[in-house]
Amino acid sequence: MARSFAAASSQYLSRASAVVGAAPMTMACWFYSTSAATLQTIMEVSRTGSAGTTDKYRMILRGDLAAPNKTLQAQQIPGFLATTTVQYATNQWHHGCAVFATTSSRTAYIDGGNSGTDTTPGSPGTLGQTLIGAAWDSSSSTFAAFFSGRIAEAAIWDVALTAAEVAALARGFIPPQVRPQSLVAYWPLGGRYGQFDLDRWKNSLNLTPSNSPTWVDHDRIIYPQPVVWPQRVAAVGGATPWLYARRRSQIIGAGGIT
């Protein structure tokens, strides 16, 4: 399953705190956009407050630009933005990732590669909220740039993931399998975890839906599978007991697959 957002209905998910307060930071998810005509926000960690508080880190789609510039961008304010080298296509699933290594280095990825990097310096101020499917518009002190389509398997790390780790996510590995020691929040938004906006990682950084986004299907994801051995003890009730252990090869870290 995945969360489905209708921009016309101003639908989004939010948390009234920044799950990560500064770079380094990585945000990633699967997305399925139904619009090639508007600026859309996939994920954002931003500052709240009155006009002028524009500071933020976010991953956006530039459907508002003419082809061939309908790309995914990793944007930092103040600072600048990194742009993928290929466009996104509507009505199909893509994997998106925005890596903010420092306040002067950011990289945007689509489908595990096609990356673009920017090194313009900037230092966002104190951040105070986390959003999926919308951006904070400081000029009007409201939400804007709503997403049109589906989002699933969203996550944020407090490190800059490597290109190899981003590629692993795009192959279908779930966020807890990639640098789990640095994963801060993981929102499956459906799947095997049910129709909830809960953080399924250790910090319980749950999200709150606004304006009733719905639930729809999502492509297959590679969830961890156990290695199973028959236990060499007497059968219980006519059945053989089993022991389970997670494969180490399903955990992907800074040094690659371990």
Side-chain angles (χ1 to χ4, degrees):
M1 301 297 289
R3 268 301 199 184
S4 181
F5 301 89
S9 299
S10 303
Q11 296 173 341
Y12 63 97
L13 307 176
S14 65
R15 180 175 178 82
S17 66
V19 300
V20 176
M25 177 192 312
T26 297
M27 53 183 69
C29 69
W30 287 90
F31 69 90
Y32 178 109
S33 175
T34 57
S35 174
T38 60
L39 169 64
Q40 303 169 74
T41 304
I42 305 174
M43 300 177 69
E44 175 177 293
V45 180
S46 56
R47 188 174 178 181
T48 60
S50 59
T53 55
T54 58
D55 301 15
K56 62 182 63 181
Y57 297 89
R58 66 175 178 169
M59 179 165 55
I60 58 177
L61 296 180
R62 297 308 305 265
D64 57 318
L65 300 179
N69 300 310
K70 296 181 182 295
T71 55
L72 181 147
Q73 294 180 337
Q75 185 180 48
Q76 175 191 315
I77 303 176
F80 210 66
L81 49 86
T83 302
T84 57
T85 58
V86 301
Q87 300 185 111
Y88 73 95
T90 58
N91 302 311
Q92 72 178 54
W93 283 102
H94 292 284
H95 187 267
C97 187
V99 178
F100 302 92
T102 68
T103 55
S104 59
S105 177
R106 58 212 64 93
T107 304
Y109 296 86
I110 189 168
D111 298 330
N114 310 298
S115 62
T117 300
D118 175 76
T119 56
T120 306
S123 296
T126 302
L127 307 178
Q129 64 185 345
T130 303
L131 304 170
I132 292 180
W136 177 250
D137 183 351
S138 62
S139 63
S140 59
S141 297
T142 189
F143 297 101
F146 296 101
F147 187 79
S148 295
R150 312 170 188 178
I151 296 176
E153 296 294 322
I156 296 180
W157 293 256
D158 61 3
V159 295
L161 294 185
T162 66
E165 290 166 344
V166 174
L169 290 168
R171 290 199 301 271
F173 287 91
I174 63 172
Q177 295 172 281
V178 178
R179 201 88 72 94
Q181 68 274 23
S182 300
L183 181 62
V184 177
Y186 168 46
W187 305 285
L189 305 181
R192 71 189 296 179
Y193 299 98
Q195 296 181 6
F196 302 101
D197 299 308
L198 304 178
D199 172 19
R200 295 297 184 176
W201 203 231
K202 59 185 178 181
N203 296 316
S204 299
L205 299 172
N206 303 328
L207 300 172
T208 299
S210 292
N211 303 316
S212 303
T214 57
W215 296 98
V216 294
D217 289 336
H218 172 49
D219 283 352
R220 177 178 290 181
I221 294 296
I222 302 172
Y223 290 110
Q225 297 296 321
V227 175
V228 183
W229 298 276
Q231 190 175 11
R232 299 182 66 85
V233 297
V236 178
T240 302
W242 298 90
L243 292 178
Y244 296 84
R246 179 171 295 177
R247 287 191 182 98
R248 283 179 50 80
S249 61
Q250 292 177 318
I251 303 300
I252 301 168
I257 298 177
T258 59

